[in-house]
């Protein structure tokens, strides 16, 4: 993608703006970081908004037509994201489903699963979550302990997941389980689609330090899943999970998208705050804003180049890990500079609007700053991503992994 739109992209952008203007009355409008007062009402409003956008052809833009998408390009999908932000339409409620679960079902699901799930996912009739992380496995995802045991036509699942985004509103999830503990940890895994309303599924929201409850604990107690809900072959779960993870790292910053508040929001805040600072502080503030802008725009344009390569037939590869790492770092610089510009107002959660004059106590710059450490973990911690870059991009020797070929039940975590 060029920094400027091509004539075709400019025409597409104009069409998107026209569609958003046409449906403006039916869409939720919130500034980045802003939340409605009632969480349940906001959830329903966001579901309606995604439905309106889907019917207008603005969801699943790069998905194949046979799966309910628009058969467009990733560049067009990025344009839709930019125009939604410009129109103050918040991130789609089913972003986990669209960016990670849906592509996994497309790649590894059966035709019956495609028919059953994809159209409803695009319209947010069903919201999805991704059930990977566990308390005992940490960053070593393949060390997970949630089990699925075959019982006739069913599998019986027991265990716990954690840090599961959107589980509290999700209707379905993709669930990675251990089905053969006698094999090495990467070889004994199997993936399923799980109904989040099934008997035995318990979801407990976690309160984050910024006040949000985006993440959840999920418990599985004798949950029965039909074998027809399996994604891929038994024991092939790690290969299926890699599809999810590679798409996740593109979706979480690796595609050049902003994570939280944008650098344009920071520029507006700086324009309002700089005149009130002493000359000495003004210099320091400009340097902080400049560092954040360079990092954010560098990541944005590098992400566009990555999307262009994928649009031309490439697959999300380990370079997406570098993009996710850079995107998180850039977002932290933007958020930290925003909070510093607020000065004493940051302590009292006031003055947080884009013009720096809001007195509503929203505290969105502070909440964004407190939210980002969680994003640094999602989709692989910074340390895991650095290992991937070192081993798969730079060709450095891998870390010693004594348990890689040992049966999991022989003490893989000893």
């Amino acid at each position: 993608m060029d920094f400027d739109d091509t004539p075709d992209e400019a025409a597409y952008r104009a069409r998107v703006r026209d569609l958003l203007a046409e449906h403006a009355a039916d869409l939720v409008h919130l500034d980045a970081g802003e939340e409605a007062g009632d969480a349940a009402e906001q959830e329903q409003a966001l579901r309606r908004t995604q439905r309106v956008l889907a019917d207008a052809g603005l969801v699943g833009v790069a998905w194949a037509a046979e799966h309910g998408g628009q058969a467009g390009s990733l560049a067009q999908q990025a344009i839709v994201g930019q125009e939604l932000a410009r129109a103050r339409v918040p991130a789609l409620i089913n972003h986990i489903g669209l960016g990670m679960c849906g592509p996994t079902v497309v790649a590894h699901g059966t035709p019956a699963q495609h028919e059953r799930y994809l159209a409803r996912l695009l319209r947010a009739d069903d919201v999805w979550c991704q059930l990977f992380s566990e308390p005992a496995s940490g960053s070593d995802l393949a060390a997970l302990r949630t089990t699925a045991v075959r019982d006739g036509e069913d599998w019986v699942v027991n265990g716990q997941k954690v840090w599961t985004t959107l589980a509290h509103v999700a209707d379905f999830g993709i669930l990675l389980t251990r089905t053969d503990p006698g094999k090495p940890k990467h070889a004994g895994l199997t993936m399923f689609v799980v109904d989040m309303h099934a008997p035995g599924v318990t979801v407990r929201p976690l309160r984050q330090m910024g006040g949000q409850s985006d993440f959840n604990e999920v418990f599985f107690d004798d949950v029965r899943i039909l074998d027809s809900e399996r994604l891929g072959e038994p024991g092939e779960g790690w290969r299926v999970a890699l599809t999810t993870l590679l798409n996740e790292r593109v979706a979480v910053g690796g595609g050049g998208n902003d994570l939280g508040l944008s650098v344009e929001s920071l520029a507006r805040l700086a324009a309002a705050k700089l005149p009130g600072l002493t000359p000495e502080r003004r210099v320091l503030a400009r340097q902080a804003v400049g560092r954040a802008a360079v990092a954010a725009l560098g990541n944005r344009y590098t992400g566009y180049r990555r999307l262009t390569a994928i649009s031309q037939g490439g697959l999300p590869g380990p370079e997406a890990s570098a993009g996710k790492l850079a995107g998180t770092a850039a977002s932290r610089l933007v958020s930290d500079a925003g909070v510093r510009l607020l000065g004493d107002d940051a302590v009292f959660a006031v003055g947080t609007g884009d013009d720096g004059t809001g007195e509503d106590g929203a505290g969105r710059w502070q909440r964004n700053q407190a939210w980002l450490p969680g994003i640094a973990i999602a989709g692989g911690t910074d340390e895991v991503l650095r290992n991937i870059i070192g081993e798969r991009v730079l060709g450095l020797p891998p870390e010693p992994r004594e348990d890689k070929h040992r049966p999991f039940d022989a003490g893989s975590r000893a």
Side-chain angles (χ1 to χ4, degrees), residues 15 66 136 362:
R15 186 157 68 88
E66 65 183 291

Side-chain angles (χ1 to χ4, degrees), residues 93-112:
I93 188 171
N94 214 8
H95 60 93
I96 300 288
L98 290 162
M100 305 161 208
C101 304
T104 304
V105 173
V106 166
H108 301 282
T110 63

Side-chain angles (χ1 to χ4, degrees), residues 13 16-17 20 27-34 49 53 58 77-92 257-265 268 300 304 354 364:
R13 187 183 296 278
V16 172
R17 287 187 183 181
L20 292 179
L27 305 175
V28 172
H29 297 278
L30 294 171
D31 288 318
E34 186 182 358
T49 287
L53 293 172
L58 299 178
Q77 186 166 294
I79 287 171
V80 170
Q82 293 164 3
E83 293 304 316
L84 289 175
R86 180 178 178 274
R88 298 176 54 242
V89 177
L92 298 179
N257 50 308
D258 294 322
L259 296 174
L261 295 170
S262 68
V263 69
E264 286 78 11
S265 294
R268 287 192 291 272
R300 181 180 298 177
Y304 291 168
D354 272 358
R364 63 197 186 99

Side-chain angles (χ1 to χ4, degrees), residues 119-398:
R120 292 180 60 83
L121 184 155
L122 288 168
R123 299 182 78 253
D125 293 329
D126 299 324
V127 173
W128 287 61
C129 64
Q130 171 190 316
L131 298 144
F132 279 18
S133 297
E134 295 191 7
S137 58
S139 297
D140 186 5
L141 174 60
L144 63 87
R145 293 173 178 271
T146 293
T147 59
V149 178
R150 187 71 183 261
D151 181 19
E153 290 303 310
D154 294 349
W155 293 80
V156 181
V157 178
N158 284 283
Q160 179 190 354
K161 299 289 179 177
V162 73
W163 311 123
T164 307
T165 305
L166 292 179
H168 59 300
V169 298
D171 302 290
F172 290 96
I174 53 174
L175 171 66
L176 191 60
T177 66
R178 184 164 304 283
T179 50
D180 191 346
K183 290 187 175 179
K185 61 181 183 180
H186 291 86
L189 305 175
T190 303
M191 182 91 86
F192 299 93
V193 174
V194 60
D195 180 350
M196 294 297 291
H197 306 299
V201 178
T202 303
V203 179
R204 295 178 184 170
L206 296 168
R207 179 68 68 180
Q208 298 153 240
M209 62 180 173
Q212 308 97 323
S213 290
D214 300 321
F215 307 134
N216 302 269
E217 295 177 296
V218 183
F219 299 85
F220 296 91
D221 296 302
D222 292 328
V223 176
R224 303 189 79 86
I225 301 177
L226 285 169
D227 185 57
S228 58
E229 296 302 323
R230 177 168 37 81
L231 289 173
E233 296 300 316
E236 292 291 321
W238 186 250
R239 186 173 67 86
V240 180
L242 288 179
T243 300
T244 312
L245 292 172
L246 290 172
N247 281 288
E248 181 179 43
R249 287 162 194 161
V250 173
V252 185
N257 50 308
D258 294 322
L259 296 174
L261 295 170
S262 68
V263 69
E264 286 78 11
S265 294
L266 177 63
R268 287 192 291 272
L269 179 63
K273 286 291 186 180
L274 281 175
L277 300 179
T278 64
E280 293 80 9
R281 287 180 177 272
R282 204 176 299 158
V283 170
L284 295 174
R286 282 182 170 141
Q287 290 175 347
V289 172
R291 281 193 295 272
V294 168
L297 295 177
N299 179 65
R300 181 180 298 177
Y301 296 134
T302 304
Y304 291 168
R305 187 172 64 180
R306 193 172 301 113
L307 293 181
T308 299
I310 296 172
S311 294
Q312 293 171 348
L315 295 173
E319 67 277 6
S321 298
K324 194 263 180 178
L325 196 61
T328 305
S331 296
R332 280 176 156 165
L333 288 174
V334 168
S335 187
D336 290 350
V339 172
R340 290 174 63 190
L341 279 168
L342 293 176
D344 292 343
D345 287 345
V347 177
F348 303 104
V350 297
T352 54
D354 272 358
D355 61 358
T357 60
E359 298 292 339
D360 60 0
R364 63 197 186 99
W365 283 97
Q366 299 93 317
R367 280 208 318 278
N368 193 68
Q369 189 183 47
W371 171 72
L372 283 169
I375 296 303
I377 296 172
T381 64
D382 290 356
E383 290 76 13
V384 167
L385 299 182
R386 289 191 180 100
N387 273 350
I388 292 172
I389 294 166
E391 294 175 13
R392 301 184 194 172
V393 178
L394 302 178
L396 299 176

Side-chain angles (χ1 to χ4, degrees), residues 4-24:
D4 299 318
D5 289 340
T6 65
D8 286 345
E9 289 167 354
Y12 182 76
R13 187 183 296 278
R15 186 157 68 88
V16 172
R17 287 187 183 181
D18 288 344
L19 286 169
L20 292 179
E22 178 183 340
H23 296 287

